[in-house]
Amino acid sequence: MEAKKIRSTFIEFFQSKQHHYVPSSPIVVKNDPTLMFTNAGMNQFKDAFLGNEVAKFPRVANSQKCLRVSGKHNDLEEVGVDTYHHTMFEMLGNWSFGDYFKKEAIAWAWELLTEVYGLSKDRLYVSVFEGDKDDNLEMDKEAFDLWKAIVPEGRIIMGSKKDNFWEMGDTGPCGPCSEIHIDLRSDAERQAIPGRDLVNNDHPQVIEIWNLVFMQFNRVSDGSLKPLPATHVDTGMGFERLVRAIQHKSSNYDTDLFTPFIAELEKKSGKKYGENEQTDIAFRVIVDHIRAISFTIADGQIPSNNKAGYVIRRILRRAVRYGYTFLGFNEPFLYELTPMIAANFGDIFPEVRQQQEFIAKVIFEEETSFLRTLSNGLKMLDQIKTELKAKNETVISGKTAFELYDTFGFPLDLTSLIARENGLSLDEEGFASEMETQKNRSRAASESETGDWMMVHPDEGVEFIGYDFLKADSNIIKYRVISDKKGDRYQVVLDKTPFYAESGGQVGDTGWLISEVEKIRVVDTKKENDLIVHFVEKLPEHPEKQFSAEVDQAKRSLTMNNHTATHLLQSALKTVLGDHIQQRGSLVNDQLLRFDFSHFGKMTDEEIERVENIVNEKVRENIPLLERRNVPIEEAKAQGATALFGEKYGEFVRVITFDPKYSVELCGGTHVPSTSQIGLVKIVSEGSISAGVRRIEAITSKAAESYLRDQESVLKEIQELLKNPKDVKKAIEALLEERNTLKKEIESLHLEKSAGVKTSLLTEFVKGEGINTLVAKVELPNADSLKKLAYELKNEVENAFVILAASIDGKPQIAVILEESLINSKNLNAGQIVRELAKEIQGGGGGQPFFATAGGKDLSGLDRVIAKAKELYL
């Protein structure tokens, strides 16, 4: 069973048990000060468990993206070294909020694992909380009795508080848990040492796959336990481990979650997985880390030098370093794996597909920068190692490590890792001391200097007049140069400016600074704290002169259309979908508007149409703008004003109203004087960007008109192709009906042909002792026909062993099928047989021991396949 099917089976199973499927929440946590990343499936339901909110659904199931590389769950250095640790992983879970409890959770877990997934019962062990004297807790007899009715008592293990009592934190909901473990060792190993002796002993082949947590207590501040008013179920099953168990692999990295990525790295590096332990670790590090990196970037966390961003940068640099050192990647390579991330995970986590290009760009820039750092740092480390060896020393000093960090940007953990690999140690206390000294120097410098701003005129503050004017006579207060790998960029600050600085989703204005001697293009306007900064193409030759600051009016006008349209859109969404709609982000420029909002379901075509109709009704009503500035924020809230997501508000705010009964919002952006200026609003897409967040993209004014003209042009072309029918829809429906009819006729002919082939082949079986063998070359229309024929022959002939070679659409294919009893009695394996025969057609394949298929490139090799099969098996 493929990984995608295993995941969907889990979800469908619990949906059949009346669970509501909830998409994964973002892997990056933004509103919880105790967490940087989601590290368990229950994180998004934390408020429900804590009693801060009422759960929307009593039963829930999902697959949650998790990351464990910080705090007490820090497995980073184990990732890649062993075969089962990961940075990013999926946690399959089912939850009950005051609904069902232990009986159902245990029964359903066993049903899913053994009856649906088909895991062998004699490889599974379960654990039960044994009790704890300190907490005055008895053994979880209820869970024990429930398990005893399902599994032999010898497979039930008593677990300590450490292993079998789950707690959210020092305080809060908690309770006993039952873990389900699986023994993936060979039969010989299992006979030598019982699996129960290896449970919770870090054996790589005896692993926990599911934890059923029964929340029935609340840990209060004095450390005592109080019964919860309602009991809950919180389960978590590591998806990667489950896939490994179902696919009968000894390593998580041998499953189809990772093998496509390993194969791609093999192709790129020219090295083979499985031949060398060091390169194997590098393969595993990279294929694990690319998932963590991609998912966190998709959820909004860019690699940086602070907090969560630094964690992601560490993961990325670790992957690059292993690729550089052991796989010979001297150029960026990680970013090239992002299309595979999108292809393999985009269905269940659409954000990685939607942001694929952005993710790739961020990774590429990080790789490019770090490869330069890595090359310089490694050269310096080689020199350091040589010098230490000459002195017969084994410790890299803190001062040296800090020099690597400060001069070359070489992370301490990477220096430490390379040191350990070379039998050296690192003076981390000395490094910390050097770091503190540098921070003190930086603080002193910042207090005595103004930075790299060059002062031109006295700084008496910046006046923004862009709500009322698009042109102003201005003086440059100061300017500076920003240098980076893209070259030099120039910034200026004006004493008076009509330029709107990027904020609240609206892009910054562009335009010109014009003096009597020069004209300079303003390419962007942004805020630095509350300072309005203008990005210009070049520095003025005479910055002391007065300039006319002029906004690009055409661009501003189109941007205002789109910004006002977002206000109308938000109100329409609330009207159609409900008051739960809240803005979660936006982009407003002269080309389009992008509006992200909280909603758990995909909008139907009818809902999108209703929203669009309401918005355009408001456009046609020509509603005038009512703008109020410096309104006390409490007064604005009392009027029902909607706050925009991500905006910061002071004591006084600006209130934008288009009909007090329709749209009242706190907003600092620029807007049209009346809605009719927008002209037309057209929604062009609606989709999901993360768990519980949808995104609408729309266009207005000229862009909407152009879009409709293009659509009309396409329709005219279709009409012409159909010979200008009166009813285009009916004409297309007639074509589709004709196509379906012809398709059915073709399928019928295929069936007739296959039936004739089968009748002929039934006479060609060669009888043997306990086996009837057929080796034949056939002509069939498609792969499904080949598979169907193979199964029909097997079902009609006793002890059948069939090898079929076929040309399908000009490509060679092989199918091998045999009676299951022949696997042992005749020592036959269809997968092994088909792989051997596939060599003759320059191909490969596989499958199950009783049925396997293969494809290849060399059509002429089919005759060799037949000859080889007859030689070996007839």
Side-chain angles (χ1 to χ4, degrees):
M1 189 184 292
E2 292 183 347
K4 288 183 179 180
K5 180 64 176 175
I6 293 171
R7 185 195 293 112
S8 63
T9 297
F10 178 90
I11 294 167
E12 290 162 4
F13 175 83
F14 280 103
Q15 285 177 326
S16 75
K17 308 294 186 186
Q18 291 75 54
H19 287 63
H20 181 83
Y21 170 69
V22 175
S24 171
S25 64
I27 204 168
V28 182
V29 177
K30 296 182 179 178
N31 299 315
D32 187 339
T34 67
L35 289 173
M36 284 195 293
F37 303 103
T38 299
N39 62 9
M42 58 73 58
N43 286 165
Q44 67 168 304
F45 308 113
K46 193 172 180 179
D47 283 338
F49 289 128
L50 290 170
N52 297 333
E53 68 177 20
V54 177
K56 295 181 177 65
F57 307 97
R59 301 180 180 187
V60 166
N62 85 336
S63 178
Q64 173 65 51
K65 300 171 294 183
C66 299
L67 194 71
R68 288 186 180 176
V69 289
S70 59
K72 67 178 183 178
H73 297 298
N74 190 348
D75 298 334
L76 183 58
E77 295 310 320
E78 277 72 47
V79 175
V81 178
D82 61 31
T83 60
Y84 54 92
H85 274 102
H86 299 287
T87 49
M88 179 265 171
F89 61 96
E90 288 183 57
M91 186 72 84
L92 302 176
N94 59 289
W95 289 267
S96 165
F97 304 107
D99 189 12
Y100 64 83
F101 201 41
K102 298 178 185 179
K103 180 180 178 181
E104 293 85 351
I106 288 172
W108 290 339
W110 193 254
E111 178 187 352
L112 178 61
L113 291 178
T114 62
E115 297 180 23
V116 179
Y117 286 136
L119 291 178
S120 176
K121 295 179 182 179
D122 68 357
R123 290 181 175 271
L124 295 173
Y125 296 87
V126 300
S127 62
V128 172
F129 178 53
E130 66 183 6
D132 185 79
K133 290 182 179 180
D134 292 339
D135 277 328
N136 196 29
L137 291 174
E138 296 181 353
M139 180 194 80
D140 189 354
K141 190 172 186 305
E142 181 184 359
F144 179 84
D145 290 340
L146 289 167
W147 278 121
K148 189 177 176 181
I150 296 174
V151 301
E153 190 170 339
R155 292 189 170 273
I156 305 175
I157 299 165
M158 292 296 105
S160 66
K161 180 181 176 181
K162 174 180 174 292
D163 292 323
N164 282 83
F165 194 87
W166 189 91
E167 303 196 51
M168 185 181 293
D170 293 335
T171 60
C174 54
C177 59
S178 274
E179 296 177 338
I180 303 175
H181 300 256
I182 189 166
D183 186 349
L184 299 174
R185 297 174 300 152
S186 67
D187 290 340
E189 289 176 303
R190 291 198 299 143
Q191 288 175 2
I193 303 175
R196 65 173 291 129
D197 294 346
L198 300 175
V199 168
N200 284 330
N201 281 311
D202 294 325
H203 193 287
Q205 300 299 322
V206 183
I207 56 175
E208 173 203 336
I209 53 173
W210 207 347
N211 189 12
L212 316 178
V213 178
F214 310 121
M215 293 193 185
Q216 58 190 101
F217 301 107
N218 183 43
R219 177 83 68 181
V220 294
S221 56
D222 65 4
S224 62
L225 295 172
K226 306 293 183 184
L228 289 170
T231 55
H232 312 290
V233 170
D234 163 21
T235 83
M237 176 156 55
F239 179 52
E240 291 76 10
R241 293 186 177 192
L242 176 65
V243 174
R244 168 183 166 188
I246 293 174
Q247 294 184 356
H248 306 292
K249 303 297 183 182
S250 60
S251 162
N252 292 7
Y253 294 93
D254 291 338
T255 68
D256 64 346
L257 284 168
F258 297 99
T259 51
F261 294 89
I262 290 175
E264 183 67 16
L265 285 176
E266 286 181 322
K267 188 190 304 181
K268 291 181 180 299
S269 67
K271 298 182 184 298
K272 285 292 182 182
Y273 183 68
E275 293 182 350
N276 178 279
E277 181 61 20
Q278 280 191 323
T279 56
D280 285 356
I281 291 173
F283 276 114
R284 292 194 291 265
V285 164
I286 293 165
V287 301
D288 170 90
H289 288 10
I290 186 59
R291 299 197 316 166
I293 298 161
S294 298
F295 277 96
T296 47
I297 293 173
D299 280 343
Q301 183 56 65
I302 306 300
S304 69
N305 286 328
N306 297 301
K307 298 181 180 178
Y310 179 63
V311 174
I312 303 311
R313 178 163 281 169
R314 281 183 63 204
I315 295 173
L316 189 150
R317 289 182 168 185
R318 186 171 187 255
V320 173
R321 185 258 164 174
Y322 269 96
Y324 178 96
T325 304
F326 299 110
L327 299 182
F329 290 125
N330 298 320
E331 300 292 334
F333 68 95
L334 274 177
Y335 79 100
E336 295 177 335
L337 298 176
T338 54
M340 295 184 67
I341 290 287
N344 282 272
F345 297 98
D347 293 339
I348 187 71
F349 304 122
E351 56 271 22
V352 291
R353 178 178 289 157
Q354 293 163 349
Q355 300 188 60
Q356 177 186 330
E357 184 178 346
F358 173 70
I359 295 167
K361 182 178 179 182
V362 171
I363 294 175
F364 175 79
E365 291 179 355
E366 282 285 317
E367 284 190 274
T368 303
S369 173
F370 183 59
L371 279 168
R372 287 196 297 267
T373 296
L374 192 59
S375 178
N376 294 333
L378 288 173
K379 289 175 183 176
M380 188 171 178
L381 265 174
D382 284 338
Q383 183 179 343
I384 292 167
K385 287 186 293 184
T386 302
E387 291 173 358
L388 287 174
K389 187 176 181 180
K391 299 176 184 177
N392 200 27
E393 296 177 358
T394 59
V395 180
I396 298 176
S397 71
K399 184 176 181 179
T400 300
F402 182 76
E403 184 181 352
L404 279 166
Y405 170 83
D406 193 38
T407 306
F408 298 99
F410 219 64
L412 177 67
D413 59 291
L414 190 52
T415 304
S416 178
L417 174 65
I418 295 172
R420 289 199 306 271
E421 290 176 351
N422 289 274
L424 303 174
S425 60
L426 181 65
D427 177 13
E428 295 193 16
E429 289 186 7
F431 176 89
S433 176
E434 292 287 337
M435 176 69 81
E436 186 61 30
T437 300
Q438 193 229 36
K439 286 181 179 179
N440 291 334
R441 284 197 302 266
S442 298
R443 292 189 194 104
S446 63
E447 290 170 0
S448 60
E449 297 178 8
T450 57
D452 56 356
W453 286 110
M454 301 299 293
M455 304 303 297
V456 179
H457 288 103
D459 186 354
E460 298 178 354
V462 176
E463 180 184 4
F464 173 64
I465 61 170
Y467 293 141
D468 304 306
F469 303 98
L470 297 179
K471 185 176 179 181
D473 291 330
S474 306
N475 293 310
I476 293 176
I477 297 174
K478 55 188 176 181
Y479 66 87
R480 68 180 177 185
V481 180
I482 304 294
S483 298
D484 58 22
K485 57 188 175 185
K486 296 179 180 178
D488 291 341
R489 292 181 293 153
Y490 310 97
Q491 299 177 339
V492 299
V493 175
L494 306 176
D495 62 349
K496 183 187 295 184
T497 179
F499 287 83
Y500 178 82
E502 180 180 320
S503 181
Q506 179 176 332
V507 299
D509 278 333
T510 60
W512 299 269
L513 297 180
I514 305 171
S515 73
E516 59 187 18
V517 294
E518 56 188 328
K519 182 177 182 179
I520 300 170
R521 177 73 176 167
V522 177
V523 296
D524 201 358
T525 310
K526 293 181 183 293
K527 279 187 177 180
E528 185 174 294
N529 297 318
D530 292 327
L531 186 68
I532 297 175
V533 178
H534 306 78
F535 290 71
V536 293
E537 284 185 335
K538 64 177 183 177
L539 288 177
E541 294 179 11
H542 301 282
E544 72 284 353
K545 289 186 176 294
Q546 188 174 68
F547 287 81
S548 175
E550 301 180 9
V551 172
D552 185 331
Q553 295 187 31
K555 182 181 177 185
R556 165 76 85 86
S557 179
L558 293 173
T559 302
M560 291 193 305
N561 291 340
N562 287 327
H563 198 156
T564 299
T566 63
H567 285 221
L568 304 181
L569 176 64
Q570 178 165 223
S571 296
L573 285 167
K574 287 186 176 183
T575 299
V576 173
L577 300 179
D579 289 336
H580 67 280
I581 296 299
Q582 291 184 356
Q583 180 175 332
R584 291 290 182 236
S586 69
L587 170 66
V588 177
N589 59 28
D590 59 322
Q591 300 295 318
L592 54 80
L593 67 90
R594 180 186 296 156
F595 188 79
D596 301 340
F597 59 98
S598 55
H599 187 58
F600 278 95
K602 176 179 171 57
M603 290 180 67
T604 64
D605 292 341
E606 292 76 13
E607 289 170 338
I608 293 172
E609 184 178 349
R610 284 181 61 197
V611 167
E612 192 176 272
N613 287 341
I614 291 171
V615 171
N616 283 307
E617 283 175 10
K618 297 302 176 183
V619 169
R620 291 190 294 273
E621 286 178 18
N622 193 27
I623 304 170
L625 164 67
L626 174 61
E627 177 199 17
R628 297 177 63 207
R629 303 178 191 174
N630 299 316
V631 179
I633 189 166
E634 294 304 321
E635 179 183 329
K637 288 180 178 179
Q639 293 174 353
T642 301
L644 297 181
F645 177 78
E647 282 290 299
K648 295 180 180 179
Y649 300 102
E651 294 182 15
F652 297 91
V653 294
R654 180 169 176 257
V655 181
I656 297 296
T657 302
F658 289 98
D659 183 348
K661 296 181 180 179
Y662 183 71
S663 174
V664 183
E665 296 191 21
L666 307 183
C667 183
T670 60
H671 291 274
V672 297
S674 61
T675 58
S676 63
Q677 180 178 312
I678 298 171
L680 177 68
V681 178
K682 180 63 186 174
I683 295 174
V684 294
S685 69
E686 187 276 342
S688 170
I689 60 167
S690 63
V693 180
R694 309 293 297 179
R695 171 173 290 171
I696 278 180
E697 288 193 359
I699 49 179
T700 65
S701 186
K702 295 179 181 179
E705 292 170 2
S706 177
Y707 175 86
L708 292 178
R709 279 196 299 270
D710 290 343
Q711 295 295 305
E712 185 180 17
S713 176
V714 171
L715 180 58
K716 286 182 179 179
E717 290 179 16
I718 293 172
Q719 287 177 313
E720 291 174 2
L721 289 170
L722 297 173
K723 309 298 184 184
N724 295 305
K726 292 182 179 179
D727 191 324
V728 176
K729 182 182 176 183
K730 284 186 177 179
I732 293 174
E733 288 174 345
L735 275 176
L736 291 173
E737 186 176 347
E738 181 181 353
R739 175 183 175 275
N740 290 334
T741 300
L742 291 172
K743 186 178 178 181
K744 289 178 181 178
E745 290 178 2
I746 292 170
E747 288 174 352
S748 178
L749 290 171
H750 287 167
L751 287 174
E752 289 179 15
K753 183 175 181 180
S754 297
V757 171
K758 184 185 75 173
T759 301
S760 174
L761 291 176
L762 286 172
T763 65
E764 297 181 20
F765 274 87
V766 177
K767 294 184 178 181
E769 187 176 342
I771 187 170
N772 294 305
T773 306
L774 171 67
V775 177
K777 184 178 178 182
V778 296
E779 290 188 12
L780 293 169
N782 52 51
D784 287 339
S785 298
L786 180 62
K787 180 179 179 180
K788 186 173 184 294
L789 175 61
Y791 270 91
E792 288 180 350
L793 289 168
K794 170 181 174 288
N795 292 336
E796 293 195 24
V797 177
E798 187 178 4
N799 294 326
F801 172 32
V802 179
I803 298 175
L804 300 176
S807 170
I808 296 175
D809 291 332
K811 295 180 180 179
Q813 290 204 19
I814 306 168
V816 177
I817 196 166
L818 50 91
E819 184 65 40
E820 285 86 341
S821 61
L822 299 177
I823 296 171
N824 294 322
S825 65
K826 299 296 181 180
N827 195 27
L828 296 174
N829 184 297
Q832 295 174 359
I833 294 169
V834 85
R835 282 191 288 270
E836 180 62 31
L837 295 176
K839 294 176 182 178
E840 304 299 328
I841 56 171
Q842 296 182 24
Q848 298 171 289
F850 76 92
F851 178 68
T853 59
K857 302 176 183 177
D858 186 1
L859 187 63
S860 66
L862 287 178
D863 290 332
R864 295 193 296 274
V865 169
I866 296 298
K868 188 172 186 177
K870 287 181 177 179
E871 179 185 347
L872 294 173
Y873 303 110
L874 285 181

